[in-house]
Amino acid sequence: MKILSIESSCDETAAAVIEDGRKICSSVIHTQVEEHKLYGGVVPEIASRRHIESICGVTAEALEQAGLTAREVDAVAVTAAPGLIGAVLVGVNFAKGLALSAEKPLIPVHHIRGHVAANYLAHPELEPPFLALIVSGGHSHIVEVQDYTHYHILGHTVDDAAGEAFDKVARTLGLPYPGGPSVAAAAKTGDPKAYRLPVPHVEGKYNVSFSGLKTAVLNEVNKAQMKGEEVNVPNLAASFQERIAGILAEKLLLAAADTGAKQVCLAGGVAANGRLRQLVNDGAQKLGAKVYLPELKFCGDNGAMIAAQGYYQYIAGHTAGLELNGLPTLPIDYE
Ligand code: KG4
Ligand code: ZN
């Protein structure tokens, strides 16, 4: 079964054709990041307008690369929640028009479920149940993926999402948006032990909190300024990355040990972080759990992951009528 997918929930316009949830026939991603960089973050109205401009071209290219017309795919999947609502609606409305004109079933896909499904593209042998650490710009969750469409949330962030913390710390350090890659790049030449940053206290065994950590970085910058000095950016970036990656890996591995999970995976934009990948790999090996990581190109937003999850939503009977609407928020464990 070949599914054409549309993704437009943030600042990437993307489309893909995926066969049976696993085989990549095509994947096209048009990023707006250079434009949003000018403002230090995603500007929602600009995002919506750019999606409107590029969605036809991106979809046509995905079909062309797959050697198919819209009439030759079996269904159209689209990110319907969560995300910047104006951006989500562009994709949803476009997918509805496509499904109507090509007479295809329409499959709404939860964006974060899609991030988890990025792992199915890289690992044909991966099947639920497994434990997932989902870390993106808007979400930080530890989730038991019970089957392809059922999830149990074990832990979550009580304040900032992991990607959001990277983005805010980058801004504090004068590094460009998006913060994750720029903090990681600065950290390469830094000493992760140079600054002693706190481990935030948080209620709930598998919950995380990053707002104290973010404030601690800001305090270091202010302290240096008051002394007429400059903060050492690579050292502070490395110390922050070490701390946040350490917290995330520790919580995932704690949940894996407690639940006896034999398989763990990472998902979302922050899953591209090299230090996090390394810590999870090392820790899981000690636990005897197998680690699955999405390919770097499918950690960030893309259409392929939406078609992959769309396949399993379709198998479970989760199609939508043409009255489908988008939602800015929706928990991953929605029924
Ligand atoms: O999943 P994603 O592309 O979009 C959302 O669904 O939110 O995640 C974007 C987030 C941004 O906050 C970005 O700074 C972060 O992922 N990110 C990273 C890295 N690459 C992207 N964070 C840490 N290290 C990275 N290498
Ligand atoms: Zn995302």
Side-chain angles (χ1 to χ4, degrees), residues 13-261:
T13 319
V17 177
I18 302 294
E19 188 170 357
D20 297 337
R22 304 274 177 164
K23 187 175 163 272
I24 301 164
C25 304
S26 68
S27 170
V28 178
I29 305 172
H30 177 264
T31 183
Q32 312 169 357
V33 70
E34 287 308 317
E35 190 169 0
H36 296 294
K37 213 177 239 181
L38 303 172
Y39 305 94
V42 179
V43 182
E45 183 173 339
I46 293 178
S48 306
R49 289 177 181 278
R50 295 298 165 260
H51 286 310
I52 285 268
E53 288 164 6
S54 41
I55 201 157
C56 289
V58 164
T59 307
E61 201 179 324
L63 284 168
E64 195 186 318
Q65 280 182 17
L68 297 167
T69 65
R71 291 216 166 262
E72 289 167 328
V73 301
D74 298 295
V76 179
V78 62
T79 300
L84 299 172
I85 192 60
V88 169
L89 291 179
V90 173
V92 167
N93 208 31
F94 181 78
K96 283 165 68 163
L98 208 55
L100 176 68
S101 61
E103 299 179 64
K104 302 296 172 187
L106 180 66
I107 311 166
V109 176
H110 188 284
H111 180 78
I112 303 300
R113 290 186 180 189
H115 274 300
V116 173
N119 285 284
Y120 304 145
L121 298 167
H123 309 290
E125 72 281 20
L126 175 63
E127 286 179 21
F130 56 84
L131 209 59
L133 171 67
I134 304 166
V135 274
S136 72
H139 294 80
S140 295
H141 283 116
I142 293 172
V143 171
E144 277 181 308
V145 181
Q146 296 164 325
D147 64 43
Y148 288 106
T149 55
H150 289 95
Y151 307 76
H152 176 232
I153 300 172
L154 294 177
H156 58 87
T157 177
V158 299
D159 41 56
D160 293 347
E164 193 182 354
F166 269 98
D167 293 338
K168 287 177 177 171
V169 162
R171 198 179 298 187
T172 303
L173 297 179
L175 299 170
Y177 173 86
S182 48
V183 167
K188 269 194 188 143
T189 56
D191 172 8
K193 295 202 178 88
Y195 290 89
R196 287 180 61 85
L197 298 174
V199 178
H201 173 76
V202 57
E203 298 284 328
K205 200 171 178 190
Y206 310 118
N207 286 348
V208 289
S209 161
F210 301 125
S211 106
L213 193 52
K214 176 189 70 187
T215 309
V217 172
L218 183 63
N219 287 344
E220 292 294 344
V221 172
N222 289 341
K223 252 190 331 202
Q225 264 173 7
M226 279 191 301
K227 287 192 219 155
E229 293 168 3
E230 283 209 358
V231 87
N232 183 312
V233 171
N235 282 352
L236 194 44
S239 303
F240 166 74
Q241 177 178 257
E242 191 64 22
R243 183 59 89 219
I244 190 167
I247 293 167
L248 289 168
E250 190 191 310
K251 293 278 174 160
L252 173 65
L253 297 168
L254 180 65
D258 288 354
T259 59

